Amino acid sequence: DQQVKQNSPSLSVQEGRISILNCDYTNSMFDYFLWYKKYPAEGPTFLISISSIKDKNEDGRFTVFLNKSAKHLSLHIVPSQPGDSAVYFCAASLKYRGTGGFKTIFGAGTRLFVKA
Amino acid sequence: KAGVTQTPRYLIKTRGQQVTLSCSPISGHRSVSWYQQTPGQGLQFLFEYFSETQRNKGNFPGRFSGRQFSNSRSEMNVSTLELGDSALYLCASSLVTGSGVNEQFFGPGTRLTVL
């Protein structure tokens, strides 16, 4: 049961243009959504997050949009740079009310290629 | 601050063997989670430890186990290895930010190959 889906395994974009990475989820109980970036031979690094009560969060070149009715979020990178070439993971986080802690579910990732 | 460290970085084992992976979280982080990453599957949650107790668990067989020590360092053990256990195993320590976001900091992973 894949609760978080990234349907595009890869995306290729020209330097300076916009990159749009998409993510769909099925559980409306998620509290937060996060994006992580992963370079080869490194662990994922946190990029940006958005609360389930918001519809937009912006941090420099990165903006995440959340459409709760469609259970869809997207990450926009503007302008795209060659250094942005990496695998991007969408993740959804749910706080456990009983045991405490958080459950974070990751999508399969989208590999972004930014061409110079 | 030093980041999350994982040892070893690479490991080759044969079917039926067991393996222990180690993770040292960022100083001050008490929560450690383990994930399995395989191509096309993203990161699959294995379990989370907090203050030496397993707090949450994913849908993996009992061959996968872990523990956490009083200094927050964690180990993950896989017994009776199968070919399908070949994967990148990632450890993450986490910090809940002031806004309530559970931000996870990942180590570089241990690449396990089962022959």
Side-chain angles (χ1 to χ4, degrees):
Chain A
D1 174 26
Q2 274 191 293
Q3 296 189 53
V4 177
K5 287 186 181 178
Q6 293 177 258
N7 292 316
S8 299
S10 65
L11 173 68
S12 185
V13 170
Q14 198 68 37
E15 181 181 9
R17 305 295 292 269
I18 183 171
S19 295
I20 300 176
L21 296 99
N22 294 302
C23 179
D24 297 297
Y25 63 95
T26 56
N27 189 343
S28 59
M29 300 299 290
F30 288 123
D31 297 302
Y32 276 92
F33 300 91
L34 310 96
W35 285 93
Y36 285 82
K37 180 167 76 171
K38 185 181 186 300
Y39 292 117
E42 296 181 11
T45 55
F46 171 75
L47 195 55
I48 190 169
S49 66
I50 186 168
S51 164
S52 61
I53 63 172
K54 305 275 188 184
D55 53 21
K56 178 182 175 182
N57 188 27
E58 190 172 354
D59 184 1
R61 296 186 297 114
F62 303 91
T63 303
V64 57
F65 295 93
L66 176 62
N67 182 334
K68 288 182 287 295
S69 60
K71 293 191 174 69
H72 177 84
L73 66 153
S74 60
L75 174 68
H76 292 212
I77 306 173
V78 183
S80 302
Q81 300 172 354
D84 295 330
S85 297
V87 176
Y88 289 79
F89 290 99
C90 168
S93 182
L94 176 67
K95 184 168 184 178
Y96 281 116
R97 273 35 175 190
T99 60
F102 294 80
K103 179 177 183 178
T104 303
I105 299 175
F106 287 79
T110 295
R111 185 176 297 277
L112 174 65
F113 299 93
V114 180
K115 297 175 287 187
Chain B
K1 253 187 191 177
V4 177
T5 58
Q6 291 187 246
T7 56
R9 292 293 309 276
Y10 302 91
L11 206 48
I12 299 175
K13 292 284 187 179
T14 55
R15 278 185 302 173
Q17 287 187 308
Q18 75 161 17
V19 67
T20 299
L21 312 181
S22 181
C23 171
S24 292
I26 291 173
S27 177
H29 289 193
R30 294 164 64 192
S31 169
V32 174
S33 298
W34 288 89
Y35 293 86
Q36 180 194 65
Q37 185 190 2
T38 52
Q41 293 295 315
L43 279 68
Q44 303 291 312
F45 173 71
L46 282 152
F47 28 66
E48 182 214 3
Y49 285 86
F50 182 84
S51 293
E52 302 178 65
T53 302
Q54 186 181 90
R55 188 159 64 172
N56 296 300
K57 189 176 187 304
N59 298 323
F60 277 79
R63 300 185 297 105
F64 292 81
S65 63
R67 59 178 175 167
Q68 187 181 33
F69 302 94
S70 58
N71 61 358
S72 292
R73 189 178 71 85
S74 177
E75 287 182 348
M76 189 192 95
N77 185 76
V78 187
S79 62
T80 320
L81 284 165
E82 300 177 359
L83 294 179
D85 297 333
S86 295
L88 180 68
Y89 289 88
L90 291 159
C91 164
S93 68
S94 51
L95 178 70
V96 178
T97 66
S99 57
V101 180
N102 184 45
E103 184 177 330
Q104 294 184 300
F105 297 81
F106 286 85
T110 294
R111 171 74 63 185
L112 172 65
T113 302
V114 182
L115 303 175

